[in-house]
Amino acid sequence: MQRLNIVITGHVDHGKSTLIGRLLADTDSLPQGKLESVKKMCENNARPFEYAFLLDALADEQKQGITIDSARVFFQSKKREYIIIDAPGHIEFLKNMISGASRAEAALLLIDAKEGVAENSKRHGMLLSLLGIKQVAIVVNKMDLVNFSEIAFTKLKVEYSEYLATLGIKSDIFIPISAREGVNLIEHSASTPWYKGPTVLEILDSFKSVEEKENDDFRMPLQDVYKFTRDNDDRRIYAGTVTSGELNVGDEVVFYPSLKRSKVASIESFNTEVKTSVKESEAVGFTLQTQIYVRNGDVVARADQSAPKVSNRFEANLFWLGAKPLELDKPYKIKIGSAQSTIYLEEIKRVIDGDTLDRADEPSVGRHEAACVIFRVHDLLAMELFAENQKLGRFVIVDEYDIAGGGIITEVLEQYTTRRTKALHVNSVLVDKASESTEFEEELFALLRKHFPHQFN
Amino acid sequence: MNGSPYTGVIVGVRADEEGSRSKERVFSARDEKSEWDASTQPPELWNQYKTDFAPGTHVRIHPLLEWTELNIWEYIERENIPIINLYFDQGNGKRYRSLGCFPCTAPVDSVARNPKEIIEELTSGKFKDIAERSGRAQDKDGGGTLEALRKEGYM
């Protein structure tokens, strides 16, 4: 059965556990007898039953090692199985929320109809957009507390849409629900005759899983070049995981930023039948018709398709989780695709925080804050706009030894160089020359191999 | 692991096995005192992992963290991987679903004799809603036990 990873986020007490409990119960996904036993327990303790207790009961079981997982909960619709990645609402758990949510393919963002938009409603909305989760439905919960009023719902919808628009998110999916009463979760409810949109389960079933998405142009961040020498095997295998698109034997490929090019001679994979084509998410290697020298971290694209951008400056939306603030002109490490380089924060355009949204003239970006910034990289890197290619448009920043922040590229800026024009010119001439004269390269390689054989073992 | 010449160990734990394992990261650092604090671990985002470590750090690497029990059996089936036969019916209607040391591992009632039958049990059969490690004693005792063991260096 097909699976979809979803994350349910929202401010503390806006009804996440109730929604999850109710979804589990109403889709018949609970272990046998669980609902009855929790109801009975409540009865015995003269306590009104709440669907949130189901989660507590499951958590207790999980502690004892009986059910599956405390971080994830499964439920099923007719169409597929859902894995709910738990996303704690509390700010201290933001790091865990982000680690979990970064693996989600779709999200439900819960807002309390009575309390309205809260700090974490905004923060989570922002983080979901930064994580690149495009499939988001906003679920307005506790509609029973506002008498299922269409006016209250519309007011909240307008307010939150305006906020989302400032983040560049267009979400027109707002669902009025009452998790406690099961309104609009699985079926439409008579309590909201004015609501004609999808129910929560309908919207979940309409989301696409990553595998269903269409192919884009071919991209593969180069992880390594494997060289073999035994038994006169002189293959150089260019290895990595395909992040998008398709590659076939005979295709001409270009490596970025080096601009070296060649044609694919063979596709290599371990212990499988001979392949002539590979596609997204496969981990593979290929050999080339000519031997070229490229660095790990280069991005491979097809010559007949679009090219990634190459620069050493870019603008990004970033969220910071490091213990120490992100500071200007201090060296950090960027990891993007399979490339790494030293990076410097050149400018903080504005700091976005959950409450006030925009603050200009900040000297640094603090923990749990997000910001719009400009970075300068030591080396030229192949990169993409996040809006065009998620996997090569996102990056993490390492401070000392830890991942301290993540972000998405919103604009690729003009290269900086101290002797800009000249260096650029010389660079491009050399690159052109180098890519034209593969013959030269082959001779050089033969010489190197002859005189430094131990380097090639 | 203290005092050994190794700076890292690759371990097959999975997040779906047990509560404390679900809090793990793919690259999980232990400091000089072998301490592991689940609440202060740096995040892992997308497919970018923590790959920089202070000198003296001991690293646990969990490449299968996101796999499920079902994934493991489907992989064993697809790749035809030989495994120890304790996982299959021992001829008495019992097999081991999870293996640990002698006193704390109990078999489960099952007549599955090969990966295919185990996959059937896990997807639609008797173990659909029952955890893999339900026969492992150290997961019980109020839930803190395996997390405490992990801090002490247990895998």
Side-chain angles (χ1 to χ4, degrees):
Chain A
M1 191 174 225
Q2 192 198 36
R3 277 189 173 179
L4 190 78
N5 291 309
I6 59 169
V7 64
I8 301 184
T9 71
H11 199 68
V12 175
D13 292 335
H14 280 198
K16 233 173 45 168
S17 301
T18 308
L19 175 64
I20 297 172
R22 186 86 208 205
L23 280 172
L24 290 173
D26 291 2
T27 56
D28 238 352
S29 307
L30 287 163
Q32 236 177 2
K34 180 85 325 210
L35 186 62
E36 294 73 20
S37 78
V38 173
K39 278 187 171 162
K40 189 147 178 54
M41 201 176 66
C42 289
E43 211 172 279
N44 292 346
N45 295 325
R47 207 173 158 194
F49 169 77
E50 283 183 32
Y51 281 93
F53 296 160
L54 284 168
L55 281 195
D56 298 340
L58 286 177
D60 280 349
E61 275 198 356
Q62 281 151 358
K63 273 189 202 143
Q64 295 160 30
I66 299 163
T67 47
I68 310 165
D69 180 355
S70 66
R72 291 175 295 184
V73 186
F74 299 81
F75 74 94
Q76 273 186 7
S77 72
K78 288 196 183 72
K79 184 176 172 189
R80 63 185 161 209
E81 198 164 67
Y82 290 92
I83 302 165
I84 304 177
I85 302 167
D86 194 20
H90 216 268
I91 181 131
E92 276 92 83
F93 298 114
L94 204 61
K95 260 190 322 195
N96 293 338
M97 182 245 159
I98 287 174
S99 293
S102 77
R103 296 189 181 108
E105 295 160 272
L108 296 178
L109 202 155
L110 218 66
I111 299 179
D112 184 321
K114 189 138 187 261
E115 225 179 83
V117 178
E119 186 189 342
N120 270 343
S121 320
K122 289 188 170 178
R123 205 189 300 269
H124 287 174
M126 186 174 70
L127 290 172
L128 291 176
S129 93
L130 286 179
L131 289 168
I133 300 168
K134 293 258 170 67
Q135 310 185 98
V136 182
I138 291 94
V139 178
V140 181
N141 191 24
K142 304 194 190 177
M143 285 298 294
D144 49 319
L145 300 183
V146 296
N147 300 318
F148 297 101
S149 151
E150 184 178 6
I151 297 167
F153 173 73
T154 309
K155 189 166 159 267
L156 210 148
K157 182 176 169 176
V158 169
E159 184 195 349
Y160 200 66
S161 298
E162 278 170 8
Y163 169 73
L164 290 177
T166 66
L167 303 174
I169 307 175
K170 261 190 282 174
S171 181
D172 42 11
I173 310 164
F174 282 75
I175 309 174
I177 68 158
S178 164
R180 199 168 61 183
E181 297 182 15
V183 168
N184 296 334
L185 295 187
I186 314 296
E187 282 164 8
H188 283 90
S189 163
S191 307
T192 53
W194 45 267
Y195 178 71
K196 305 280 182 242
T199 65
V200 172
L201 198 63
E202 282 169 359
I203 202 72
L204 288 174
D205 278 348
S206 79
F207 286 146
K208 287 197 168 82
S209 84
V210 171
E211 300 106 66
E212 287 175 63
K213 282 181 189 155
E214 282 169 37
N215 272 354
D216 301 310
D217 289 347
F218 175 76
R219 296 286 188 271
M220 188 187 93
L222 185 66
Q223 192 179 312
D224 211 342
V225 181
Y226 298 123
K227 285 159 279 196
F228 298 89
T229 49
R230 197 179 287 177
D231 302 331
N232 288 329
D233 185 349
D234 60 353
R235 283 176 300 167
R236 289 166 67 84
I237 298 181
Y238 301 81
T241 299
V242 180
T243 57
S244 63
E246 201 179 278
L247 182 72
N248 310 292
V249 171
D251 284 342
E252 189 177 14
V253 289
V254 186
F255 290 73
Y256 295 88
S258 66
L259 303 182
K260 304 254 172 97
R261 51 175 71 211
S262 184
K263 279 188 178 156
V264 177
S266 71
I267 285 167
E268 308 280 331
S269 63
F270 179 69
N271 211 11
T272 64
E273 282 165 34
V274 175
K275 290 186 174 191
T276 55
S277 168
V278 283
K279 58 179 193 313
E280 183 173 336
S281 76
E282 285 185 79
V284 292
F286 54 81
T287 62
L288 294 173
Q289 290 180 0
T290 50
Q291 288 177 333
I292 58 171
Y293 309 99
V294 284
R295 291 199 308 177
N296 295 352
D298 275 12
V299 172
V300 193
R302 270 167 58 171
D304 62 341
Q305 293 179 335
S306 72
K309 295 173 176 62
V310 171
S311 184
N312 52 18
R313 274 177 86 232
F314 63 88
E315 192 173 308
N317 288 339
L318 163 124
F319 51 89
W320 193 250
L321 301 159
K324 291 183 217 152
L326 171 69
E327 287 169 12
L328 293 168
D329 297 318
K330 185 186 151 189
Y332 294 93
K333 179 154 97 181
I334 181 174
K335 291 167 79 172
I336 176 168
S338 57
Q340 302 188 354
S341 182
T342 305
I343 193 167
Y344 300 88
L345 181 63
E346 181 179 299
E347 187 187 335
I348 300 172
K349 297 191 85 172
R350 59 183 201 277
V351 170
I352 316 158
D353 82 26
D355 273 339
T356 49
L357 275 189
D358 273 25
R359 302 199 314 265
D361 302 322
E362 289 288 322
S364 64
V365 183
R367 188 172 209 180
H368 298 148
E369 285 182 332
C372 175
V373 296
I374 293 176
F375 277 116
R376 200 170 69 229
V377 199
H378 183 266
D379 302 297
L380 280 179
L381 286 180
M383 56 181 89
E384 310 244 14
L385 296 183
F386 182 76
E388 289 167 8
N389 184 327
Q390 293 205 3
K391 286 173 186 154
L392 297 176
R394 64 194 184 196
F395 60 90
V396 297
I397 303 289
V398 177
D399 185 14
E400 292 185 1
Y401 301 109
D402 290 342
I403 291 177
I408 61 171
I409 296 172
T410 52
E411 206 177 329
V412 176
L413 303 171
E414 198 189 337
Q415 287 179 30
Y416 80 91
T417 160
T418 38
R419 295 170 297 253
R420 178 174 285 165
T421 21
K422 197 176 171 200
L424 260 183
H425 180 69
V426 171
N427 234 341
S428 61
V429 168
L430 282 178
V431 164
D432 281 351
K433 279 260 188 296
S435 56
E436 276 165 21
S437 53
T438 46
E439 205 178 313
F440 164 77
E441 221 167 70
E442 274 167 31
E443 281 170 18
L444 176 66
F445 181 56
L447 272 172
L448 286 169
R449 230 176 130 142
K450 186 175 163 198
H451 294 287
F452 305 96
H454 56 282
Q455 297 287 348
F456 293 90
N457 288 330
Chain B
M1 283 295 160
N2 279 353
S4 78
Y6 304 108
T7 54
V9 53
I10 298 173
V11 191
V13 306
R14 307 188 319 269
D16 80 337
E17 290 175 306
E18 180 275 333
S20 76
R21 289 182 179 174
S22 74
K23 298 177 197 166
E24 272 289 4
R25 299 283 196 255
V26 176
F27 284 78
S28 181
R30 275 24 178 202
D31 63 16
E32 290 97 334
K33 291 175 226 134
S34 288
E35 294 277 319
W36 178 61
D37 183 351
S39 64
T40 59
Q41 302 176 95
E44 286 182 336
L45 291 165
W46 308 302
N47 57 350
Q48 297 290 1
Y49 303 106
K50 175 180 165 68
T51 49
D52 299 84
F53 302 96
T57 308
H58 186 88
V59 193
R60 302 253 176 112
I61 303 158
H62 307 127
L64 302 183
L65 196 62
E66 293 299 311
W67 287 41
T68 62
E69 183 186 13
L70 182 60
N71 292 153
I72 297 284
W73 284 108
E74 286 172 340
Y75 190 75
I76 289 170
E77 156 99 334
R78 194 185 80 187
E79 301 294 328
N80 212 6
I81 296 170
I83 57 160
I84 185 170
N85 76 8
L86 286 171
Y87 285 105
F88 305 131
D89 180 6
Q90 296 298 294
N92 56 357
K94 289 187 187 299
R95 70 174 188 89
Y96 290 88
R97 200 173 160 197
S98 171
L99 284 173
C101 59
F102 158 68
C104 64
T105 305
V108 293
D109 292 330
S110 161
V111 292
R113 285 159 305 175
N114 53 48
K116 194 163 183 274
E117 289 175 11
I118 291 178
I119 290 166
E120 166 64 23
E121 260 182 7
L122 291 173
T123 46
S124 49
K126 55 185 294 185
F127 292 138
K128 193 168 164 282
D129 298 320
I130 300 171
E132 180 184 7
R133 293 170 63 91
S134 49
R136 296 283 285 265
Q138 70 267 47
D139 294 7
K140 295 172 185 171
D141 303 331
T145 322
L146 192 51
E147 185 159 342
L149 283 170
R150 291 191 77 68
K151 287 186 180 174
E152 299 290 318
Y154 183 81
M155 309 278 173

